[in-house]
Structure formats: C-alpha cells, structure tokens
Amino acid sequence: MAVGIYRRLFYLTRKSMKTTAEFKNPKDSLTFMNELVLPNDTNTLNNLMGGRMLHWMDICAAMAAQKHSNRIVVTAAVDSVSFRESIRLGDVVSLTAYVTRSFKSSMEVFIEVYAQNIPTGEKIKSNEAYYTFVALNSRHRPVQVPQVQPETEIEQEKYNGALRRRQVRLILAGKMKPEDAQELKNLFL
C-alpha cells in the first residue's frame, strides 16, 4: 500500500515538473559568469579580443535564455555591441544576463559586461548588449516560451522597450516593413 502512495506521489511530481510556467520573472533567468583574461584571449596589445568577448557574451546570454525557456536555444540576433573600454590581460570579466521580454518562441536577453583589475580593485563597465534567442523543441523547431513578468522599474523599462528593439531588428533583417512598425511610429506621433 505504501508503495502505491509513493508511485502516485512520484507520478504527480514528474507530471508537474513537465509543465512550464506561463510567466517567469527576469530574476528567474539571471545568470552570472566570470572569466579570467589569459594570454590566449588577447591581441598583440594584450587587450581582450573582441571576438572572445562576443563568445563569452553569447554563452552567458544563452544560459539566461535556457533558464527562462527550459529549452535548448539558438542565437537569432545580436544588437550593436560597442566596446567602451579595453579589457587587459589578467583582468576578471564579469558578465550578467537576464531575459527582458519574450515573444512567441523568442526571447530578448540583456547583458552587461564589467572588467576588474583584481590587484588595484579598479572596476569598469566595458559594454552591454541585447541578444535574441529562439527556443527549440527536440525536433529543432521553435517552441513557445513563458512570458516575462517584470517586477522592478528597470525591468519594466527594458520590457517596454523590447518591442521597439524587436521591430528595429525585424526591419533591418527585412522581415518587417517600416510602415508596419506601430511601436516605432508611436514614438514620433
């Protein structure tokens, strides 16, 4: 008799684990990543190579998107990335990412990058960017993801701006006509 109860409990637990929440908060996808800049990561000036930084940013942002969707994700777009400050050999690079908004199967992820010189304690913001990911099912097809429920004022601002940023990306990719970008038009009307 006790075995039957445990089987039923196990079944109910497994069943509830398979369902995904309709809404998730940005903090649910919050991801931190740290990297030490080693000689193999640098250019001839002993600065971190931009390609290596983009690689790390893609990994950190992908982990945030996977936490939000509970799925494998692929990178769909990267908004412009500006390198404000050089990151030097020996610096510790800290990346922070979280999902700002989700659409049907895509998610926008905001990522910030800081560099710290450990001996001096100096910490600088190197860059920030928005990445877009698409969640995939086991057949590598786009799958619906939970919606984002912002909690803080900053999260709400990023959430509100995400639709405009999405429309810009779609226009630049040739997937949307400028006249159809209602959110962007509303900025000027």
Side-chain angles (χ1 to χ4, degrees):
M1 180 123 136
V3 173
I5 292 170
Y6 287 121
R7 278 190 191 148
R8 180 76 179 142
L9 212 80
F10 178 76
Y11 171 76
L12 290 173
T13 304
R14 296 281 295 173
K15 187 176 178 183
S16 67
M17 285 172 45
K18 289 181 184 177
T19 60
T20 58
E22 289 183 40
F23 291 92
K24 285 189 174 181
N25 300 317
K27 68 181 177 192
D28 296 330
S29 63
L30 187 60
T31 302
F32 300 100
M33 189 171 122
N34 291 298
E35 295 286 343
L36 176 64
V37 180
L38 298 172
N40 194 42
D41 303 321
T42 63
N43 59 25
T44 54
L45 299 173
N46 282 332
N47 293 326
L48 178 64
M49 290 184 288
R52 180 75 70 197
M53 172 57 68
L54 292 172
H55 174 76
W56 290 342
M57 290 173 73
D58 192 41
I59 291 171
C60 187
M63 287 190 287
Q66 287 180 338
K67 285 180 180 181
H68 181 81
S69 64
N70 294 325
R71 299 287 185 159
I72 298 299
V73 298
V74 292
T75 310
V78 178
D79 287 7
S80 79
V81 179
S82 298
F83 298 93
R84 296 180 189 160
E85 299 283 338
S86 296
I87 298 176
R88 306 285 300 155
L89 174 66
D91 285 353
V92 172
V93 178
S94 299
L95 304 98
T96 306
Y98 62 89
V99 174
T100 59
R101 187 166 183 168
S102 59
F103 299 93
K104 186 175 180 182
S105 61
S106 67
M107 296 153 282
E108 181 189 80
V109 178
F110 175 69
I111 183 163
E112 287 183 301
V113 180
Y114 287 87
Q116 184 173 7
N117 179 308
I118 299 297
T120 67
E122 181 186 9
K123 187 174 183 177
I124 58 162
K125 183 173 184 177
S126 171
N127 55 5
E128 62 184 40
Y130 290 94
Y131 278 58
T132 303
F133 292 87
V134 174
L136 303 177
N137 65 17
S138 60
R139 292 193 225 179
H140 306 261
R141 296 310 229 186
V143 63
Q144 191 166 350
V145 297
Q147 293 301 304
V148 172
Q149 182 68 53
E151 293 183 310
T152 68
E153 188 176 320
I154 291 171
E155 291 170 356
Q156 188 65 52
E157 287 174 15
K158 292 197 181 307
Y159 178 88
N160 293 340
L163 186 53
R164 292 186 294 274
R165 289 187 294 274
R166 181 176 193 250
Q167 288 181 349
V168 168
R169 284 190 288 270
L170 292 172
I171 290 168
L172 292 174
K175 296 179 180 180
M176 176 183 267
K177 295 177 183 175
E179 57 269 17
D180 295 334
Q182 193 58 47
E183 286 296 315
L184 291 176
K185 283 200 244 180
N186 290 344
L187 287 175
F188 303 103
L189 299 178

